Amino acid sequence: MTGTFPTHLKSNNIGDIGVNAVSQIVNDELKYIFKRNSSEYDFGIDAYIEIVTDNGSVTGQVIGVQIKCGSSFFKVKSKTGFTFYGENKHLNYYCNAPFPIIIVICDPDTRECFWQKFSIESTEKTDSNWKINIPKRNRLSLKSKDQLAEIVGEPVDYSSQAQAQWEMTEAFKSADSILYSVARKDIESGNVKPLHDFFNRILSNDDLAINLQGKVVVSIDGYTLDKRELWEIREVRRWAKKAEPKIKYWFFFCANLKNSSTLIWLFTCLTKIISVKPSPLGGSQLRITYETKPLSEVIMRNFMYLNELTNRYGISVEENQRISYEAMESIGLDFLNEEEC
């Protein structure tokens, strides 16, 4: 009669014994959370163990588990336990997993389970695959709790960090402008990472980034007593040429007719200047004549980055044009004055 009904294979039954045995130990003894992985998505991880502190806090820390059940896994003994033979197809999968992995072997008769944390350092090459030692001392039980907790490390309470980030975001959003001052030591060492990290923090929040359009002022600190203009200082020019392509979104964040200082010093450091004159519009604006070729290359690159960001945020063509116009005005150019471009 078996031919007319679905068949439950013995191998499936043994596999379930192993999963159930590990589940009972994890849930009942360790007081952790055991989550079985769907067989449809089993690529070497049979289950996940979620870490729970003694006060009941679920930390978000996870350990992946491969469970192998059967007497055959206990046949090859090592000096301290049992030799488990793994498959090469799982090696990269385990190494690239963003959480630790343990391998558990289960005796279907006694329901005893033994485990080992997977790491390349713990493996050895075989003729065609790899093997790892699973020590007898690593019997999965309440005594394993401290060892498993040590694998994931102490959980971190990010509440204060989150609060500080929220407060900074609100302060940035409510500010008329944000000043970032680049330290002289960073200029002289060619270190653009602090400014790059600053912009990355802004870019991680779409609302904040859109709110700060045209509000960021980047200044250079430490050269106040130097009689030269910034574009005449070799170290500043060198730093600017390194920073400009990494920061990328200068036009979006720094184009501002009320404060054009950022794009003025940046573009004069990136290109060659023929002349600097007061703007016919008056005020603090300048009209700068640049050497054409280096200027056009930098402008085209920054327009490309501006378009990239406005496309990402769904900003209108009209708004993009407004920012573009302000960028040109900020660096001392005029769309209508093409002979100066």
Side-chain angles (χ1 to χ4, degrees):
M1 202 163 78
T2 57
T4 58
F5 291 91
T7 303
H8 183 58
L9 300 177
K10 185 178 180 181
S11 59
N12 290 338
N13 185 52
I14 292 176
D16 286 342
I17 289 173
V19 171
N20 291 335
V22 175
S23 172
Q24 289 170 8
I25 297 168
V26 169
N27 289 324
D28 298 340
E29 295 188 39
L30 303 180
K31 306 300 183 185
Y32 289 159
I33 299 171
F34 182 90
K35 293 182 176 180
R36 184 170 185 173
N37 196 16
S38 168
S39 59
E40 183 181 354
Y41 299 104
D42 176 9
F43 303 107
I45 304 291
D46 297 295
Y48 300 93
I49 297 173
E50 283 213 43
I51 304 301
V52 182
T53 64
D54 291 337
N55 66 6
S57 298
V58 183
T59 66
Q61 297 167 303
V62 173
I63 298 174
V65 190
Q66 182 181 48
I67 303 168
K68 293 295 183 181
C69 185
S71 56
S72 62
F73 295 104
F74 295 85
K75 285 183 179 179
V76 183
K77 294 181 171 58
S78 65
K79 291 181 180 178
T80 60
F82 311 97
T83 301
F84 174 82
Y85 292 90
E87 298 179 74
N88 282 338
K89 67 180 182 180
H90 292 145
L91 188 71
N92 276 329
Y93 186 73
Y94 292 158
C95 290
N96 283 286
F99 43 76
I101 307 290
I102 63 171
I103 297 170
V104 179
I105 57 174
C106 177
D107 186 320
D109 298 321
T110 64
R111 301 292 181 99
E112 283 187 308
C113 300
F114 302 87
W115 65 275
Q116 173 67 297
K117 178 189 174 186
F118 172 85
S119 68
I120 287 183
E121 294 78 11
S122 301
T123 63
E124 292 183 47
K125 188 180 184 301
T126 64
D127 290 340
S128 58
N129 289 289
W130 54 273
K131 64 181 180 179
I132 191 169
N133 178 54
I134 299 183
K136 274 188 178 180
R137 65 180 178 273
N138 282 3
R139 181 173 172 271
L140 190 62
S141 66
L142 181 58
K143 293 181 180 179
S144 306
K145 188 167 187 174
D146 289 342
Q147 292 171 276
L148 295 175
E150 188 176 333
I151 288 175
V152 298
E154 282 290 325
V156 177
D157 186 345
Y158 287 97
S159 301
S160 58
Q161 182 178 329
Q163 185 62 37
Q165 178 64 40
W166 296 334
E167 290 175 0
M168 185 193 76
T169 299
E170 286 305 310
F172 276 16
K173 281 186 173 183
S174 61
D176 292 330
S177 65
I178 302 297
L179 173 65
Y180 185 98
S181 182
V182 182
R184 181 167 181 162
K185 64 180 177 62
D186 287 336
I187 295 292
E188 294 178 346
S189 65
N191 183 14
V192 302
K193 188 176 185 301
L195 183 59
H196 189 257
D197 290 346
F198 168 78
F199 276 107
N200 278 343
R201 286 199 300 273
I202 294 173
L203 290 163
S204 65
N205 183 321
D206 286 3
D207 288 343
L208 176 61
I210 294 169
N211 183 272
L212 291 184
Q213 190 281 306
K215 293 184 179 180
V216 179
V217 177
V218 180
S219 67
I220 304 298
D221 186 33
Y223 295 91
T224 306
L225 300 179
D226 197 310
K227 294 182 179 179
R228 295 171 294 174
E229 298 289 351
L230 287 176
W231 60 79
E232 297 174 323
I233 302 173
R234 184 179 60 181
E235 292 81 6
V236 178
R237 290 182 65 89
R238 187 169 56 229
W239 184 91
K241 288 177 180 179
K242 184 177 180 181
E244 182 264 329
K246 288 184 179 293
I247 305 304
K248 295 175 63 174
Y249 306 119
W250 299 92
F251 277 3
F252 184 84
F253 289 112
C254 304
N256 187 331
L257 296 180
K258 294 180 181 178
N259 192 333
S260 59
S261 60
T262 301
L263 295 186
I264 285 287
W265 73 253
L266 178 67
F267 272 73
T268 51
C269 285
L270 293 173
T271 60
K272 294 181 180 180
I273 305 164
I274 296 174
S275 68
V276 179
K277 297 184 251 182
S279 170
L281 300 177
S284 61
Q285 292 298 114
L286 296 175
R287 182 60 68 232
I288 301 175
T289 304
Y290 298 86
E291 192 172 294
T292 304
K293 184 177 179 181
L295 175 66
S296 61
E297 291 175 355
V298 178
I299 285 179
M300 292 307 297
R301 182 164 62 243
N302 278 271
F303 273 145
M304 179 183 70
Y305 294 145
L306 173 62
N307 293 339
E308 176 187 311
L309 209 55
T310 55
N311 287 337
R312 180 192 302 177
Y313 297 144
I315 292 174
S316 68
V317 173
E318 293 75 20
E319 184 69 1
N320 180 297
Q321 290 174 343
R322 179 193 64 78
I323 298 169
S324 299
Y325 177 80
E326 291 195 357
M328 292 298 93
E329 282 287 301
S330 295
I331 63 176
L333 295 174
D334 191 330
F335 281 138
L336 302 177
N337 212 343
E338 294 186 4
E339 72 272 14
E340 296 182 1
C341 299

